[in-house]
Amino acid sequence: GLVLDARLVGDDLLLVRHGGTRVRANVDATVSGPLEELLIAGRAEVADGVYSTRIDVTSFLGGPKPVRARGLQIFRISEGPMANARFDLEVGTAPGAAFRIETSTYVGGLRPDLHLSGTGELPILIGVVYFDPAIVNLPATRLHVTSGTLVFDEANPFVPELSVQCEGRIRGYDVSVQVAGPFDATEVTMSSDPSLNTTELLNLVLTGRVPGDENTRAGDVAQQLATYLAKDFLSWWIAPEPGDTSSDSLMDRIEIITGEDVSQTGASTIEGRFRLAEHVTRENDTLYVIAERDEYDFYNVGIRISFRVR
Protein backbone atom coordinates (compact mmCIF):
# COMPACT_ATOMS: atom_id res chain seq x y z
CA GLY A 1 0.00 0.00 0.00
CA LEU A 2 0.89 3.68 -0.13
CA VAL A 3 3.54 4.79 2.38
CA LEU A 4 4.09 8.48 3.12
CA ASP A 5 7.22 10.25 4.36
CA ALA A 6 6.67 14.00 4.16
CA ARG A 7 7.39 17.19 6.10
CA LEU A 8 5.11 20.22 6.29
CA VAL A 9 6.64 23.57 7.25
CA GLY A 10 4.80 26.88 7.05
CA ASP A 11 4.01 30.10 8.86
CA ASP A 12 0.59 31.67 9.34
CA LEU A 13 -1.20 28.73 7.73
CA LEU A 14 -5.01 28.91 7.80
CA LEU A 15 -6.09 25.73 9.61
CA VAL A 16 -9.67 26.56 10.65
CA ARG A 17 -12.23 29.00 9.28
CA HIS A 18 -15.77 28.13 10.23
CA GLY A 19 -18.54 30.49 11.32
CA GLY A 20 -17.04 32.89 13.82
CA THR A 21 -13.88 30.84 14.40
CA ARG A 22 -10.57 31.33 12.62
CA VAL A 23 -7.17 29.79 13.47
CA ARG A 24 -3.81 30.40 11.78
CA ALA A 25 -0.70 28.55 12.93
CA ASN A 26 3.01 28.13 12.36
CA VAL A 27 3.53 24.43 11.59
CA ASP A 28 6.57 22.16 11.50
CA ALA A 29 5.32 18.58 11.28
CA THR A 30 6.02 15.25 9.64
CA VAL A 31 3.56 12.76 8.16
CA SER A 32 4.88 9.21 7.92
CA GLY A 33 3.81 5.58 7.65
CA PRO A 34 1.26 3.57 5.67
CA LEU A 35 -1.85 5.48 4.60
CA GLU A 36 -3.98 3.38 6.93
CA GLU A 37 -1.71 4.03 9.97
CA LEU A 38 -0.28 7.52 9.55
CA LEU A 39 1.78 9.20 12.26
CA ILE A 40 1.59 13.00 12.42
CA ALA A 41 4.29 14.44 14.66
CA GLY A 42 5.89 17.82 15.29
CA ARG A 43 4.75 21.20 16.57
CA ALA A 44 2.03 23.72 15.77
CA GLU A 45 1.92 27.22 17.25
CA VAL A 46 -1.14 29.45 17.19
CA ALA A 47 -0.07 32.56 15.26
CA ASP A 48 -3.50 34.18 15.18
CA GLY A 49 -6.94 32.98 16.19
CA VAL A 50 -10.33 34.38 17.06
CA TYR A 51 -13.73 33.18 18.25
CA SER A 52 -16.40 35.82 17.62
CA THR A 53 -19.72 34.00 17.37
CA ARG A 54 -22.51 36.05 18.89
CA ILE A 55 -23.78 34.90 22.28
CA ASP A 56 -27.54 35.26 22.69
CA VAL A 57 -27.87 36.75 26.17
CA THR A 58 -31.61 36.03 26.27
CA SER A 59 -30.81 32.32 26.40
CA PHE A 60 -29.77 32.80 30.02
CA LEU A 61 -33.40 33.59 30.85
CA GLY A 62 -34.68 30.24 29.57
CA GLY A 63 -35.56 27.06 31.41
CA PRO A 64 -33.39 24.10 32.37
CA LYS A 65 -30.51 23.31 30.03
CA PRO A 66 -30.59 19.99 28.16
CA VAL A 67 -28.63 17.13 29.69
CA ARG A 68 -25.56 16.25 27.65
CA ALA A 69 -23.03 13.47 27.79
CA ARG A 70 -20.08 14.42 29.94
CA GLY A 71 -16.71 15.07 28.36
CA LEU A 72 -15.00 17.63 26.14
CA GLN A 73 -13.73 16.57 22.71
CA ILE A 74 -12.21 19.43 20.72
CA PHE A 75 -12.54 17.66 17.37
CA ARG A 76 -13.18 14.23 15.89
CA ILE A 77 -12.45 12.68 12.49
CA SER A 78 -14.67 9.65 11.99
CA GLU A 79 -14.01 8.78 8.35
CA GLY A 80 -11.11 8.28 5.97
CA PRO A 81 -7.40 7.67 6.65
CA MET A 82 -7.25 10.49 9.22
CA ALA A 83 -9.63 8.61 11.52
CA ASN A 84 -6.90 6.04 12.22
CA ALA A 85 -4.01 8.52 12.09
CA ARG A 86 -1.97 8.82 15.28
CA PHE A 87 -0.84 12.18 16.68
CA ASP A 88 2.31 13.24 18.49
CA LEU A 89 1.98 17.01 18.25
CA GLU A 90 3.01 19.82 20.57
CA VAL A 91 0.43 22.63 20.44
CA GLY A 92 1.64 26.00 21.66
CA THR A 93 1.43 29.72 21.01
CA ALA A 94 3.74 31.85 18.89
CA PRO A 95 5.52 34.68 20.77
CA GLY A 96 3.16 37.61 21.28
CA ALA A 97 0.15 35.68 19.95
CA ALA A 98 -3.02 34.30 21.52
CA PHE A 99 -6.32 32.73 20.57
CA ARG A 100 -8.76 35.58 21.16
CA ILE A 101 -12.36 35.36 22.31
CA GLU A 102 -14.19 38.48 21.15
CA THR A 103 -17.88 38.41 22.00
CA SER A 104 -20.23 40.86 23.65
CA THR A 105 -19.87 39.03 26.98
CA TYR A 106 -16.18 38.00 27.01
CA VAL A 107 -13.10 39.67 25.55
CA GLY A 108 -9.71 38.10 26.18
CA GLY A 109 -7.03 35.71 25.00
CA LEU A 110 -6.14 32.05 25.55
CA ARG A 111 -2.67 30.52 25.22
CA PRO A 112 -2.50 26.72 24.80
CA ASP A 113 0.46 24.65 25.99
CA LEU A 114 -0.74 21.17 25.07
CA HIS A 115 0.33 17.80 23.72
CA LEU A 116 -2.01 16.13 21.21
CA SER A 117 -1.93 12.33 21.10
CA GLY A 118 -4.46 9.61 20.37
CA THR A 119 -6.05 9.18 16.94
CA GLY A 120 -8.24 11.23 14.65
CA GLU A 121 -11.30 9.41 15.94
CA LEU A 122 -10.26 9.74 19.59
CA PRO A 123 -7.80 12.63 20.03
CA ILE A 124 -6.36 13.23 23.50
CA LEU A 125 -5.10 16.57 24.81
CA ILE A 126 -2.78 16.82 27.81
CA GLY A 127 -1.53 20.11 29.24
CA VAL A 128 -2.75 23.59 30.13
CA VAL A 129 -4.62 26.45 28.46
CA TYR A 130 -3.72 29.77 30.09
CA PHE A 131 -6.12 32.71 30.31
CA ASP A 132 -4.77 36.17 29.52
CA PRO A 133 -6.32 39.17 31.32
CA ALA A 134 -9.88 39.53 30.04
CA ILE A 135 -13.19 41.31 30.58
CA VAL A 136 -16.51 39.60 31.38
CA ASN A 137 -19.51 41.83 30.66
CA LEU A 138 -22.55 41.24 32.88
CA PRO A 139 -25.86 43.17 32.86
CA ALA A 140 -25.01 45.17 36.01
CA THR A 141 -21.24 45.39 35.78
CA ARG A 142 -18.05 44.04 34.29
CA LEU A 143 -15.55 41.68 35.87
CA HIS A 144 -11.84 41.59 35.08
CA VAL A 145 -10.28 38.15 34.66
CA THR A 146 -6.89 38.39 36.38
CA SER A 147 -5.74 34.81 35.82
CA GLY A 148 -7.03 31.41 34.82
CA THR A 149 -6.17 27.93 33.60
CA LEU A 150 -7.92 25.00 31.94
CA VAL A 151 -5.97 21.86 32.82
CA PHE A 152 -6.26 18.67 30.75
CA ASP A 153 -4.91 16.06 33.14
CA GLU A 154 -3.63 12.72 31.90
CA ALA A 155 -5.80 10.90 34.46
CA ASN A 156 -9.02 12.38 33.03
CA PRO A 157 -8.25 14.30 29.81
CA PHE A 158 -11.87 14.64 28.63
CA VAL A 159 -12.99 16.49 31.78
CA PRO A 160 -10.54 19.39 32.17
CA GLU A 161 -10.33 21.39 35.39
CA LEU A 162 -11.16 25.09 35.19
CA SER A 163 -9.77 27.72 37.56
CA VAL A 164 -10.49 31.40 36.90
CA GLN A 165 -10.09 34.43 39.17
CA CYS A 166 -12.05 37.62 38.53
CA GLU A 167 -12.46 40.97 40.27
CA GLY A 168 -14.59 44.06 39.80
CA ARG A 169 -16.10 47.10 41.46
CA ILE A 170 -19.88 47.41 41.78
CA ARG A 171 -21.57 50.43 43.40
CA GLY A 172 -18.68 50.97 45.82
CA TYR A 173 -18.07 47.28 46.59
CA ASP A 174 -14.85 45.51 45.56
CA VAL A 175 -15.92 42.05 44.42
CA SER A 176 -13.80 38.93 43.90
CA VAL A 177 -15.10 35.86 42.05
CA GLN A 178 -13.43 32.48 41.70
CA VAL A 179 -14.71 29.79 39.32
CA ALA A 180 -13.16 26.36 39.89
CA GLY A 181 -13.80 22.68 39.28
CA PRO A 182 -14.52 20.35 36.34
CA PHE A 183 -15.40 22.45 33.28
CA ASP A 184 -18.98 21.10 33.22
CA ALA A 185 -19.60 21.28 37.00
CA THR A 186 -17.80 24.36 38.26
CA GLU A 187 -18.38 26.03 41.61
CA VAL A 188 -18.46 29.80 42.02
CA THR A 189 -17.06 31.43 45.16
CA MET A 190 -17.61 35.16 45.73
CA SER A 191 -16.44 37.66 48.32
CA SER A 192 -16.65 41.42 48.72
CA ASP A 193 -15.26 44.39 50.60
CA PRO A 194 -17.31 45.62 52.49
CA SER A 195 -18.51 42.11 53.26
CA LEU A 196 -21.91 40.83 52.09
CA ASN A 197 -23.59 37.49 52.63
CA THR A 198 -23.95 35.11 49.68
CA THR A 199 -27.49 36.14 48.71
CA GLU A 200 -26.75 39.87 48.94
CA LEU A 201 -23.54 39.49 46.95
CA LEU A 202 -25.20 37.44 44.21
CA ASN A 203 -27.96 40.04 43.95
CA LEU A 204 -25.36 42.81 43.72
CA VAL A 205 -23.42 41.08 40.93
CA LEU A 206 -26.49 40.17 38.87
CA THR A 207 -28.66 43.27 39.34
CA GLY A 208 -26.45 45.98 40.82
CA ARG A 209 -28.76 46.39 43.82
CA VAL A 210 -27.08 47.31 47.09
CA PRO A 211 -28.73 45.56 50.08
CA GLY A 212 -30.64 47.86 52.42
CA ASP A 213 -30.03 50.93 50.26
CA GLU A 214 -33.31 52.67 49.53
CA ASN A 215 -31.50 54.89 47.04
CA THR A 216 -30.77 51.96 44.74
CA ARG A 217 -33.24 52.75 42.05
CA ALA A 218 -35.02 50.28 39.85
CA GLY A 219 -34.39 52.67 36.97
CA ASP A 220 -30.65 52.19 37.33
CA VAL A 221 -31.04 48.42 37.08
CA ALA A 222 -33.25 48.80 34.00
CA GLN A 223 -30.72 51.21 32.46
CA GLN A 224 -27.86 48.76 33.01
CA LEU A 225 -29.82 45.87 31.50
CA ALA A 226 -30.87 47.99 28.51
CA THR A 227 -27.26 49.08 27.94
CA TYR A 228 -26.10 45.48 28.12
CA LEU A 229 -28.69 44.21 25.64
CA ALA A 230 -28.12 47.15 23.29
CA LYS A 231 -24.37 46.60 23.20
CA ASP A 232 -24.88 42.88 22.60
CA PHE A 233 -27.14 43.65 19.64
CA LEU A 234 -24.88 46.35 18.20
CA SER A 235 -21.77 44.21 18.50
CA TRP A 236 -23.52 41.59 16.35
CA TRP A 237 -25.07 44.09 13.92
CA ILE A 238 -22.06 46.25 13.06
CA ALA A 239 -19.20 43.83 13.75
CA PRO A 240 -16.88 42.95 10.85
CA GLU A 241 -17.05 39.59 9.14
CA PRO A 242 -15.47 36.77 11.19
CA GLY A 243 -11.75 36.73 10.60
CA ASP A 244 -11.64 40.24 9.10
CA THR A 245 -8.55 41.86 10.63
CA SER A 246 -8.31 44.81 8.28
CA SER A 247 -9.65 47.23 10.88
CA ASP A 248 -11.40 47.45 14.22
CA SER A 249 -15.18 47.50 14.24
CA LEU A 250 -16.92 50.43 15.90
CA MET A 251 -17.90 48.25 18.85
CA ASP A 252 -14.27 47.26 19.39
CA ARG A 253 -13.57 50.93 20.17
CA ILE A 254 -16.53 51.56 22.50
CA GLU A 255 -16.63 50.72 26.21
CA ILE A 256 -19.60 51.47 28.48
CA ILE A 257 -19.08 51.01 32.23
CA THR A 258 -22.01 51.42 34.61
CA GLY A 259 -22.47 51.03 38.34
CA GLU A 260 -18.87 51.01 39.59
CA ASP A 261 -19.80 53.59 42.24
CA VAL A 262 -22.88 55.37 43.60
CA SER A 263 -23.39 59.11 43.26
CA GLN A 264 -24.45 61.42 46.08
CA THR A 265 -28.07 61.13 44.95
CA GLY A 266 -27.93 57.31 44.79
CA ALA A 267 -27.60 57.02 41.00
CA SER A 268 -25.13 54.65 39.39
CA THR A 269 -22.04 56.21 37.89
CA ILE A 270 -21.63 55.69 34.17
CA GLU A 271 -18.63 56.11 31.88
CA GLY A 272 -18.37 55.79 28.13
CA ARG A 273 -15.02 55.49 26.35
CA PHE A 274 -14.21 55.72 22.66
CA ARG A 275 -10.72 54.56 21.68
CA LEU A 276 -9.17 57.04 19.27
CA ALA A 277 -5.67 55.66 18.80
CA GLU A 278 -2.92 53.48 20.24
CA HIS A 279 0.86 53.96 20.57
CA VAL A 280 0.48 57.76 20.55
CA THR A 281 3.36 58.89 22.79
CA ARG A 282 4.95 55.50 23.52
CA GLU A 283 4.39 51.81 22.91
CA ASN A 284 1.33 50.31 24.65
CA ASP A 285 -0.45 53.60 25.36
CA THR A 286 -4.09 54.26 24.34
CA LEU A 287 -5.91 57.55 23.71
CA TYR A 288 -9.62 57.75 24.64
CA VAL A 289 -12.46 60.27 24.48
CA ILE A 290 -14.31 60.02 27.81
CA ALA A 291 -17.85 61.01 28.78
CA GLU A 292 -19.11 60.28 32.30
CA ARG A 293 -21.57 60.95 35.10
CA ASP A 294 -19.40 60.86 38.22
CA GLU A 295 -20.04 60.25 41.92
CA TYR A 296 -20.90 63.94 42.39
CA ASP A 297 -23.62 63.78 39.69
CA PHE A 298 -21.51 65.95 37.40
CA TYR A 299 -21.33 65.27 33.67
CA ASN A 300 -17.80 65.43 32.27
CA VAL A 301 -16.20 65.09 28.85
CA GLY A 302 -12.48 64.85 28.23
CA ILE A 303 -9.46 63.09 26.79
CA ARG A 304 -7.62 60.30 28.61
CA ILE A 305 -4.38 58.54 27.77
CA SER A 306 -3.71 55.21 29.44
CA PHE A 307 -0.34 53.50 29.80
CA ARG A 308 0.04 49.75 30.08
CA VAL A 309 3.09 48.51 31.96
CA ARG A 310 4.38 45.07 31.03
Side-chain angles (χ1 to χ4, degrees):
L2 180 63
V3 177
L4 297 181
D5 186 6
R7 184 182 181 189
L8 174 64
V9 179
D11 291 337
D12 204 29
L13 299 179
L14 181 61
L15 299 184
V16 178
R17 182 162 186 169
H18 177 72
T21 303
R22 187 195 73 252
V23 179
R24 291 183 176 273
N26 303 332
V27 177
D28 186 352
T30 60
V31 181
S32 59
L35 186 62
E36 297 79 14
E37 298 179 1
L38 291 174
L39 173 63
I40 302 173
R43 181 171 177 82
E45 294 183 335
V46 174
D48 180 52
V50 63
Y51 176 86
S52 58
T53 300
R54 184 192 180 205
I55 297 176
D56 182 6
V57 297
T58 60
S59 65
F60 294 105
L61 305 178
K65 301 296 185 295
V67 176
R68 297 180 179 177
R70 194 175 194 196
L72 176 63
Q73 193 167 5
I74 303 299
F75 69 93
R76 181 186 180 191
I77 304 172
S78 57
E79 298 180 356
M82 289 298 294
N84 296 322
R86 293 175 294 118
F87 293 104
D88 184 12
L89 275 174
E90 299 296 328
V91 181
T93 309
F99 180 81
R100 305 183 314 280
I101 299 177
E102 298 179 354
T103 71
S104 59
T105 51
Y106 189 98
V107 180
L110 303 175
R111 291 176 292 111
D113 184 9
L114 302 166
H115 179 261
L116 174 62
S117 60
T119 66
E121 190 167 18
L122 189 64
I124 298 173
L125 285 172
I126 304 295
V128 183
V129 177
Y130 296 94
F131 288 64
D132 285 340
I135 293 174
V136 179
N137 291 305
L138 300 174
T141 188
R142 60 166 48 186
L143 297 175
H144 298 267
V145 175
T146 57
S147 64
T149 57
L150 184 65
V151 178
F152 293 81
D153 188 77
E154 189 172 2
N156 195 5
F158 299 109
V159 185
E161 291 279 329
L162 180 66
S163 177
V164 178
Q165 290 74 43
C166 308
E167 60 185 30
R169 185 170 177 84
I170 312 172
R171 295 183 67 85
Y173 289 79
D174 292 315
V175 176
S176 297
V177 179
Q178 181 176 14
V179 182
F183 86 101
D184 56 352
T186 55
E187 294 185 359
V188 179
T189 304
M190 297 188 293
S191 61
S192 68
D193 183 19
S195 180
L196 296 173
N197 65 43
T198 302
T199 301
E200 292 171 336
L201 184 51
L202 183 62
N203 194 39
L204 175 67
V205 171
L206 294 180
T207 69
R209 283 189 170 274
V210 178
D213 185 358
E214 297 300 328
N215 290 325
T216 302
R217 301 182 294 194
D220 286 334
V221 177
Q223 177 193 58
Q224 291 162 352
L225 182 58
T227 301
Y228 180 74
L229 293 173
K231 188 173 182 181
D232 175 73
F233 174 75
L234 287 173
S235 67
W236 162 76
W237 186 43
I238 64 178
E241 288 296 317
D244 181 7
T245 58
S246 59
S247 63
D248 289 336
S249 74
L250 179 62
M251 289 308 300
D252 288 333
R253 294 175 173 266
I254 294 175
E255 294 181 67
I256 301 174
I257 305 169
T258 63
E260 283 197 340
D261 286 295
V262 183
S263 75
Q264 293 180 338
T265 61
S268 296
T269 58
I270 183 169
E271 178 180 305
R273 305 174 187 169
F274 182 78
R275 174 162 49 86
L276 289 177
E278 295 178 317
H279 316 302
V280 179
T281 64
R282 54 177 290 183
E283 187 179 0
N284 298 324
D285 69 11
T286 308
L287 182 66
Y288 296 94
V289 173
I290 303 292
E292 67 173 4
R293 181 178 67 198
D294 64 19
E295 61 267 32
Y296 303 104
D297 290 299
F298 293 147
Y299 290 85
N300 310 302
V301 178
I303 299 290
R304 177 184 297 169
I305 188 165
S306 299
F307 300 94
R308 186 169 66 251
V309 179
R310 291 188 179 273

